[in-house]
């Protein structure tokens, strides 16, 4: 019988589900690790499955819990709580980053705390849960993780389109429009983009696996800081 490593046992305890050890290991394997270990399997297929499970669970919960909301409002709420930023927040809450298997490059560039890696791994874990214990238990896991976000839908609304949200905030406050500068490092198959956005006299930074993701991360950080200033 395959034994679960103690640290991964701690993770499954937090999740409250008994995930097959091999599927859990696969769910935690980032493609950067696979590239460095002979092009082995990684978690992107499980991520694909988990994304579907997540979307269905959230859609049904929103539909049944909010009979007065129209399609547009439901779609906006769903987008906010299944966004990369929201899922990364959930992943940090269970300490998921410590368990991800990363290649050296990602490890050196802070991959364990990157929103994109955390969110994708969270979806892969949901996919592994579905295959291990079935749709009912997987849906239960999703709702346990996501319910706090559903109770506060505006918190992550800006995560859906942070660049537009930041631009609107700048316009309302009379600040200069956001200006972005983007640089990149690393090989083509594992490039890291870093963005800086400047609004008036304030600047914020963000990273991502694409120029768009980096700009969105920087915009979201800027929006949160400037909104908090009032």
């Amino acid at each position: 019988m395959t034994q679960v490593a103690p640290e991964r046992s701690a993770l499954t305890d937090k999740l409250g589900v008994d995930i097959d050890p091999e599927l859990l290991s696969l769910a935690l394997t980032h493609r950067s690790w696979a590239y460095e270990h002979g092009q082995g399997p990684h978690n992107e297929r499980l991520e694909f499955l988990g994304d579907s499970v997540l979307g269905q669970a959230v859609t049904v919960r929103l539909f049944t819990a909010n009979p007065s909301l129209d399609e547009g409002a439901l779609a906006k709420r769903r987008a906010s709580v299944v966004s990369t930023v929201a899922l990364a927040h959930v992943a940090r809450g269970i300490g998921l980053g410590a368990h991800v298997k990363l290649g050296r490059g990602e490890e050196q560039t802070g991959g364990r705390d990157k929103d994109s890696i955390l969110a994708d791994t969270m979806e892969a874990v949901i996919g592994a849960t579905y295959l291990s214990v079935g749709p009912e238990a997987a849906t239960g896991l999703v709702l346990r993780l996501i319910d706090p976000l559903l109770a506060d839908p505006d918190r992550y609304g800006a995560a859906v389109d942070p660049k537009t949200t930041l631009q609107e905030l700048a316009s309302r406050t009379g600040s200069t429009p956001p200006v972005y500068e983007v640089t990149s490092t690393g090989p083509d198959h594992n490039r890291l983009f870093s963005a800086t956005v400047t609004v008036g006299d304030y600047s914020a930074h963000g990273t991502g696996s694409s120029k768009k993701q980096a700009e969105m991360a920087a915009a979201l950080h800027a929006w949160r800081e400037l909104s908090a200033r009032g």
Side-chain angles (χ1 to χ4, degrees):
M1 180 178 179
T2 305
Q3 297 295 314
V4 182
E7 66 275 11
R8 298 209 178 136
S9 178
L11 176 61
T12 56
D13 287 346
K14 289 181 181 179
L15 293 170
V17 290
D18 188 17
I19 304 175
D20 175 85
E22 291 185 3
L23 285 172
L24 178 59
S25 180
L26 180 59
L28 297 172
T29 302
H30 188 256
R31 67 176 179 269
S32 62
W33 171 279
Y35 288 143
E36 291 184 8
H37 292 78
Q39 300 290 330
H42 51 75
N43 64 7
E44 291 182 2
R45 278 176 53 84
L46 285 175
E47 175 196 336
F48 172 80
L49 175 61
D51 176 70
S52 180
V53 175
L54 170 70
Q56 182 182 40
V58 171
T59 298
V60 173
R61 172 57 63 90
L62 284 171
F63 182 87
T64 56
N66 300 278
S68 63
L69 293 183
D70 62 20
E71 178 188 5
L74 290 171
K76 185 175 181 180
R77 289 198 180 191
R78 179 178 60 190
S80 71
V81 299
V82 301
S83 69
T84 295
V85 172
L87 289 178
H89 171 78
V90 170
R92 290 188 182 98
I94 60 173
L96 186 61
H99 304 283
V100 182
K101 293 156 61 176
L102 294 173
R104 289 186 299 274
E106 285 291 358
E107 190 76 68
Q108 293 168 0
T109 56
R112 293 189 184 280
D113 197 46
K114 285 183 186 176
D115 283 358
S116 57
I117 290 178
L118 290 172
D120 290 348
T121 305
M122 191 72 256
E123 289 181 337
V125 168
I126 293 169
T129 302
Y130 181 94
L131 294 178
S132 296
V133 290
E136 185 175 345
T139 296
L141 171 64
V142 168
L143 295 180
R144 286 196 303 276
L145 295 172
I146 299 297
D147 266 346
L149 278 63
L150 291 172
D152 187 14
D154 293 333
R155 181 177 182 186
Y156 293 98
V160 179
D161 189 359
K163 292 182 68 174
T164 298
T165 305
L166 179 62
Q167 186 170 340
E168 291 171 348
L169 176 63
S171 178
R172 288 197 307 271
T173 58
S175 299
T176 57
V179 176
Y180 296 86
E181 294 182 6
V182 181
T183 59
S184 64
T185 58
D188 289 342
H189 73 273
N190 193 27
R191 190 164 290 276
L192 175 68
F193 291 82
S194 299
T196 299
V197 60
T198 301
V199 183
D201 60 355
Y202 175 77
S203 294
H205 307 280
T207 61
S209 58
S210 68
K211 177 182 176 182
K212 179 180 178 181
Q213 285 186 354
E215 288 181 343
M216 289 176 64
L220 186 62
H221 292 163
W223 176 84
R224 285 178 172 166
E225 174 64 24
L226 294 174
S227 295
R229 291 183 179 182

